[in-house]
Amino acid sequence: GNNSNQKQSATTFTADGQATSKQTRQPLNKHNLVEFLVFHKDELLASCTTGERRRISTLFGVPDNVTIRQFGFGQSNPTYLLTISSSPTIDGVDEVAKQYVLRKKPNKIAHKSAHALHREFRVLTALASNTTIPVPKPYIYCRDGSVLGSEFYIMEYVRGRIFVDPSMPDMSPSDRRQAYQDALHVLAKIHSVDYKTIGLDGYGKTRQYVARQVRNLLAVSQKQAEIIRKNSKPRDADQIDDRDQTARSIASLSEKLHGATKHCPDSTSLIHGDYKIDNLIFHPTLPKVIAVIDWELSTLGDPLCDLANLCMMFYMPSIKQNLGVAGIAGLNLADTGIPSEESIIDLYAKHRPSIDQEVLRAWYGFYLSFLFFKNCVIVQGVEQRLKTGNNSSAMAAKVSSLLPTMIVLTDDILRSRPPPLDVNEFTLSRL
């Protein structure tokens, strides 16, 4: 059947991030899905030639022709590869006719605002229809929870390479250099989009993005600290001290950052919200970005946050250390072709001539420390879910053990690359 063909493509053709598995962790109702596909055939085949449309449309209604596999890559929104294929040919391998990606909300959602799938669909629609920014083409959104248990949408399957490890292990140094150059070119294009003319006016508030985020993150952190406190069974006083110290450190960081938000560049553009190497699909063989994925955190905000998000990899341990994060800290970049942190800032600035380079460099450390602060709060959330039994994975325990190091790192960055402010104003500001 189709299994061998699929398996082969997952291992040989795609990089590790696009591997799929037949054992779906969150199974879909196939009968309902097939009915939905048949009903929306026209939208799903809109980009096909007439010949293709004729050949494929007859396949949609036969459940045996539809294979569902789940992407294995840590998704907060379960994501599936749908393959619609004809019956096996003589040699026993299916001729793959058409592939799609289906992305849905989890059936149980803790926070209404989380899993912003409709926003992701909106931004993909705007970018695919009106810009040259490479994104998967979105086809159809289903708000009716009775079909598959929650809202979902279907988009184009972009076949290529996703690198879970930002050191891009299988690439040549010159390809790596070009891959990174293209990633920065694409990021600059996203930030240069006139969001009003492509239907994204009102997609987010236009000022004070970092200030709002710092305030909200502190509130989230205080809630998380309270839940951790209630659910802890400390064996000794040291554990209580450590926990309270963590909460105090996060509050102190937020205070320092908040004082600087009144003066930061605070420009507004479309931002991706989680721009990093593993949210890009590269061409199967060329060092070129062919799709930017995972737009659920996109909004209108400060573009320098996306740049800092990408650069966090310089401070994060390698995936080989098995700590649940993938960075390039400690990697000797000299022979890799991967640009240095300085070069990444230069490459970005080169593609955005309207930006004041001096201001960018002076404030870069502030944005980097803000991103690390945000990730401290996220990691504290992982610890909170561990304590309440909502996440018992071994990886979650490893990730939460990084928190003290991350707090120190955030503080170090703030001290060594402080925002260009009057010293008193920086230290004396209050929320």
Side-chain angles (χ1 to χ4, degrees), residues 276-289:
K276 55 194 203 309
I277 293 299
D278 65 11
N279 280 332
L280 304 175
I281 300 178
F282 287 88
H283 184 279
T285 55
L286 303 173
K288 189 169 173 50
V289 177

Side-chain angles (χ1 to χ4, degrees), residues 10 20 29 51 76 78 82 90 93 107 176 191 220 236 261 277 281 307 326 348 373 401 414 429 431:
T20 57
N29 180 324
S76 61
L82 309 181
I90 310 301
V93 176
N107 290 349
R176 273 192 208 107
H191 294 161
V220 167
D236 56 31
T261 59
I277 293 299
I281 300 178
L307 178 65
Y348 177 75
F373 167 73
S401 72
L414 259 182
S429 72
L431 283 174

Side-chain angles (χ1 to χ4, degrees), residues 26-85:
Q26 292 101 342
L28 300 179
N29 180 324
K30 193 169 182 180
H31 174 264
N32 288 5
L33 175 62
V34 169
E35 271 190 2
F36 182 85
L37 294 175
V38 171
F39 192 77
H40 293 284
K41 215 160 42 174
D42 291 350
E43 293 104 303
L44 292 168
L45 295 173
S47 56
C48 295
T49 63
T50 318
E52 271 187 314
R53 201 172 300 153
R54 244 201 319 274
R55 184 168 62 83
I56 297 165
S57 65
T58 54
L59 305 176
F60 271 74
V62 185
D64 281 355
N65 293 340
V66 180
T67 313
I68 304 166
R69 297 173 66 91
Q70 188 165 357
F71 286 100
F73 193 38
Q75 306 278 0
S76 61
N77 294 303
T79 305
Y80 306 83
L81 178 63
L82 309 181
T83 302
I84 293 135
S85 55

